[in-house]
Amino acid sequence: MAQLVGVFEDPGKVAEVVGHLRGRGFEDLETYSPAPFAEVDDAVLEKPSRVRIFTLIGGLLGVVAGYAMTIWMANDWQIMLGGKPYSSIPPYTIIAFELTILFGGLLTALGLFIVGRLPRFTRDAAYSARFSAEDFGVAVRCAERDVAEVDGLMRMHGAVEVNLVAG
Amino acid sequence: MTPPPAASVAAMIRPAPIPDDSKINQDILYVMKGTSPGYWLLLSIALTFVGIGAAVWLWQIYEGLGIAGYIHPVFWGVYIVTFVFWIGIAHAGTLISAILYLFRAKWRNAINRSAEAMTVFAVMTAGLFLGIHVGRIWKAYFILPYPNQRGLWVNFKSPLLWDTVAVSTYATISIVFLYVGLIPDLAIARDRHSGWRRVLYGILALGWQGTSRNWKSHTRSVLHLSGLATPLVLSVHSVVSWDFAMTLVPGWHSTIFGPYFVAGAIFSGFAMVLTLMIPVRRIYGLENYITDYHLDNMARFLLFTSIIVGYAYVFEYFIAWYSGVEHEQTSFWMRTFGAYWFSTWVMIVCNAILPQLLWFKRLRTNVPFLFVLSVLINIGMWFERYVIIVEGLSTEHDPSAWGVYTVSWPEIGILAGSFAFFVTLFLIFLKLFPIIAIAEIKELAIHAKLHPEGGH
């Protein structure tokens, strides 16, 4: 197996080349972008990020925890305050609301780590500091006999340069 | 033609020359490089005042709250005033990051990082005052619902408990928001530093490479965090206002307190962003990033929130008169012409009258004017909380129980220490982390480079 990395300047071109490469059956590819561009990310991964499931679970956990904690604690040792019922829903809604946000936010961050595969302890061989400047990279793993085709395809779509990655 | 084997292709390709780094990276990372004597001077002044504040606090812990200016019936003074002030300052960050993000207001990109950092530091500063105000700091944890031998739980029907939950949630979510936004920029910094900084940014960047999977989950997380933080911003200062509005104290017991406090918080927060960022942009030559256009937009926000705040001031008086309740009427009369007339007029002039000058475009883009105005608004907003809290308590229902509170020197020492604490944290942040969200600026810059004819 060989790995080629093409350097691009235009995110639109990156999306095109990714589409073309995948059409030709090169599925083992990765892009590197200096900033978020939906067209690039959607070309590689079609489905919406699963982070949203984490947010939903976090929010639901929060609202349940908020009501459960307040109602249970108020009834564990009942003290009459201001003539109000022990299980007073209106004031406990404030706690439940805040915990919804708290758990939702924390699980969203957890979702970012799990779905986004972070933390990562090594850098890809194809990664370079220029992809945190203003260049885009498309790294493709292919059989050695396909190197010329992938190289030509990337240049056809406006690659500034195409390099073979060592290792 | 048969393709050559990979190894020989690799030999044919000459090693890629290291490309010139992006100008955006260079400009913004420049802020983190080196420290001038002026920076050290400012930092040492700030640290001195932090020391003074800390010493006064230790003295107060030893001596008791008696050294504060409390006098019956005013037992909420400068500490609570300053707590509310800092919580208010903290609101601009999340407003800019979350609400303007959801509204797709692209101009926020230049200021969102500094505002988010400011939010975290302001909440941290505000948090100190909960400890300072309760006096017996060693019992501060009583506010938390923890299992204990007495079998007692906290009272979740109390606004003070709501406040604890709201403010700690706000602090946590602000930190998460700031950090998540920082990850791509930390990777940029990692790739461009060596030594201890490379190690630090390498750890904090979590191996970020800007892959499609990285970015896809990142943009989705930022969207969701914004969606969660938007109602949070509106709730936090509403909950803080209920600390007052849920009581029966004249001048406090009011239904407009929620929106009134939230608008005031955003107003003061924007003023603080201007106070901090005008010198930063001047000193580090960031005029290409924080342009007059951004200042103009922030000035418009100031004007808008100033009108809401001014409207609330007028309506407080109107409702006090229209209610026919003597206690309310007296409280507002005493507020304007009684012992605290000075604070009240500072608040009205700085918050409601002077910002009206921002109707003039020439003044909205006049940087020295904006700086002075933003400082005056900060002062005015501190006095607003002073007026509401101290005056409210000083003239409650029974005239025989009235009393006049004056600020004591220890309180001023701790107040100054809190500003110094905030400034110290901001100065350290300035040298350790990118003060402008580089990746977000690049997103706009790359669009602009490829489509110079317009749009965004």
Side-chain angles (χ1 to χ4, degrees):
Chain A
M1 289 295 268
Q3 195 183 20
L4 283 161
V5 54
V7 180
F8 294 78
E9 287 179 344
D10 183 339
K13 297 268 170 57
V14 177
E16 279 172 30
V17 79
V18 168
H20 202 154
L21 283 166
R22 294 185 65 185
R24 296 284 299 138
F26 299 106
E27 287 289 342
D28 190 358
L29 49 78
E30 186 56 279
T31 56
Y32 303 96
S33 320
F37 286 91
E39 60 268 40
V40 175
D41 304 333
D42 291 345
V44 184
L45 308 161
E46 291 101 352
K47 285 187 190 153
S49 174
R50 281 183 292 115
V51 168
R52 52 202 188 137
I53 297 168
F54 286 82
T55 314
L56 179 68
I57 292 171
L60 292 175
L61 272 179
V63 72
V64 172
Y67 282 120
M69 177 179 75
T70 45
I71 292 171
W72 179 72
M73 286 180 182
N75 286 285
D76 183 47
W77 182 322
Q78 294 185 331
I79 298 173
M80 182 60 80
L81 291 157
K84 301 289 191 294
Y86 298 120
S87 307
S88 296
I89 298 306
Y92 298 168
T93 301
I94 296 163
I95 310 287
F97 170 82
E98 300 294 345
L99 289 192
T100 306
I101 308 256
L102 179 66
F103 286 30
L106 290 176
L107 255 77
T108 304
L110 184 70
L112 165 67
F113 297 149
I114 292 172
V115 180
R117 305 242 171 99
L118 296 170
R120 220 190 118 86
F121 299 101
T122 51
R123 222 74 70 241
D124 291 349
Y127 179 76
S128 126
R130 61 194 304 181
F131 303 138
S132 60
E134 281 181 28
D135 288 332
F136 293 79
V138 179
V140 187
R141 229 177 262 284
C142 60
E144 301 212 342
R145 64 190 152 78
D146 294 326
V147 165
E149 182 190 352
V150 172
D151 178 279
L153 234 155
M154 289 209 208
R155 290 186 196 276
M156 192 179 91
H157 283 284
V160 186
E161 55 182 83
V162 181
N163 295 328
L164 199 63
V165 179
Chain B
M1 161 192 147
T2 48
S8 64
V9 174
M12 273 153 50
I13 301 169
R14 58 195 165 77
I18 295 163
D20 291 330
D21 197 7
S22 135
K23 183 166 175 350
I24 299 172
N25 287 351
Q26 288 171 351
D27 284 352
I28 297 171
L29 295 180
Y30 166 75
V31 178
M32 292 149 60
K33 284 205 182 81
T35 42
S36 63
Y39 175 85
W40 288 114
L41 180 70
L42 202 56
L43 188 63
S44 40
I45 294 172
L47 283 172
T48 309
F49 277 96
V50 171
I52 292 172
V56 176
W57 187 10
L58 284 175
W59 178 34
Q60 182 183 286
I61 290 170
Y62 179 76
E63 199 66 47
L65 277 174
I67 66 165
Y70 297 138
I71 183 168
H72 182 83
V74 184
F75 293 105
W76 280 14
V78 165
Y79 300 147
I80 291 293
V81 170
T82 315
F83 165 76
V84 179
F85 173 79
W86 283 117
I87 292 288
I89 294 295
H91 275 55
T94 314
L95 180 102
I96 292 168
S97 317
I99 301 185
L100 296 186
Y101 177 84
L102 294 181
F103 278 103
R104 298 287 185 266
K106 294 283 186 187
W107 61 272
R108 64 181 268 289
N109 289 356
I111 48 169
N112 70 340
R113 173 66 44 73
S114 48
E116 283 166 29
M118 192 193 79
T119 291
V120 171
F121 303 149
V123 176
M124 286 164 71
T125 315
L128 291 179
F129 280 90
L130 295 177
I132 296 169
H133 171 78
V134 294
R136 297 183 191 190
I137 179 71
W138 54 94
K139 290 188 174 168
Y141 64 91
F142 276 21
I143 197 82
L144 300 172
Y146 66 100
N148 57 71
Q149 287 171 314
R150 291 155 287 144
L152 282 171
W153 297 107
V154 291
N155 173 18
F156 284 112
K157 288 169 200 151
S158 160
L160 298 182
L161 240 299
W162 308 341
D163 204 12
T164 309
V165 176
V167 171
S168 47
T169 298
Y170 194 57
T172 314
I173 296 296
S174 308
I175 292 169
V176 169
F177 214 125
L178 174 68
Y179 179 61
V180 166
L182 261 171
I183 293 174
D185 289 3
L186 290 167
I188 294 171
R190 171 199 65 202
D191 293 346
R192 277 155 193 78
H193 283 96
S194 53
W196 65 269
R197 278 187 188 257
R198 190 182 171 85
V199 175
L200 174 72
Y201 301 137
I203 293 168
L204 291 176
L206 304 174
W208 178 272
Q209 303 184 109
T211 62
S212 45
R213 191 175 291 280
N214 284 164
W215 276 121
K216 201 153 191 166
S217 43
H218 189 266
T219 42
R220 177 60 72 162
S221 314
V222 171
L223 177 71
H224 286 197
L225 284 172
S226 303
L228 291 168
T230 299
L232 179 65
V233 183
L234 302 180
S235 83
V236 171
H237 227 58
S238 301
V239 169
V240 170
S241 82
W242 294 338
D243 287 344
F244 308 103
M246 291 279 165
T247 67
L248 295 176
V249 174
W252 286 9
H253 186 58
S254 158
T255 49
I256 67 165
F257 259 39
Y260 171 23
F261 269 50
V262 171
I266 293 166
F267 181 55
S268 64
F270 263 89
M272 189 58 101
V273 174
L274 280 171
T275 311
L276 290 177
M277 289 318 280
I278 286 175
V280 167
R281 113 181 169 129
R282 178 87 180 78
I283 293 166
Y284 296 103
L286 295 175
E287 281 94 345
N288 286 336
Y289 298 94
I290 306 168
T291 62
D292 286 353
Y293 166 71
H294 298 105
L295 297 183
D296 182 38
N297 272 335
M298 283 193 270
R300 283 164 195 246
F301 246 96
L302 280 184
L303 179 59
F304 173 61
T305 42
S306 160
I307 292 169
I308 300 178
V309 168
Y311 175 82
Y313 292 169
V314 172
F315 245 72
E316 278 190 315
Y317 283 89
F318 173 76
I319 292 295
W321 167 75
Y322 188 65
S323 68
V325 177
E326 203 180 339
H327 303 298
E328 286 282 334
Q329 290 171 346
T330 310
S331 178
F332 279 91
W333 178 267
M334 295 298 283
R335 183 184 280 200
T336 328
F337 302 108
Y340 301 102
W341 65 270
F342 177 77
S343 312
T344 306
W345 287 101
V346 169
M347 144 188 148
I348 291 172
V349 171
C350 289
N351 299 342
I353 296 175
L354 286 179
Q356 300 307 316
L357 291 168
L358 295 172
W359 284 102
F360 299 103
K361 180 161 176 84
R362 191 179 292 173
L363 288 174
R364 284 203 305 270
T365 49
N366 181 331
V367 180
F369 169 80
L370 276 181
F371 182 72
V372 172
L373 183 70
S374 69
V375 173
L376 287 175
I377 290 172
N378 283 322
I379 295 170
M381 285 306 295
W382 190 85
F383 273 104
E384 179 195 299
R385 280 64 179 253
Y386 185 80
V387 167
I388 292 172
I389 295 169
V390 173
E391 207 291 324
L393 287 173
S394 110
T395 55
E396 272 197 66
H397 296 90
D398 184 359
S400 65
W402 288 0
V404 175
Y405 161 92
T406 40
V407 181
S408 71
W409 281 108
E411 285 170 310
I412 292 173
I414 286 179
L415 173 63
S418 83
F419 276 87
F421 181 71
F422 177 76
V423 169
T424 305
L425 291 173
F426 190 79
L427 285 173
I428 294 170
F429 185 84
L430 206 57
K431 289 295 161 192
L432 275 184
F433 299 105
I435 195 67
I436 291 179
I438 306 178
E440 294 190 31
I441 291 282
K442 259 185 212 161
E443 187 186 347
L444 298 185
I446 291 171
H447 267 299
K449 192 168 73 182
L450 298 170
H451 310 286
E453 62 280 357
H456 58 244

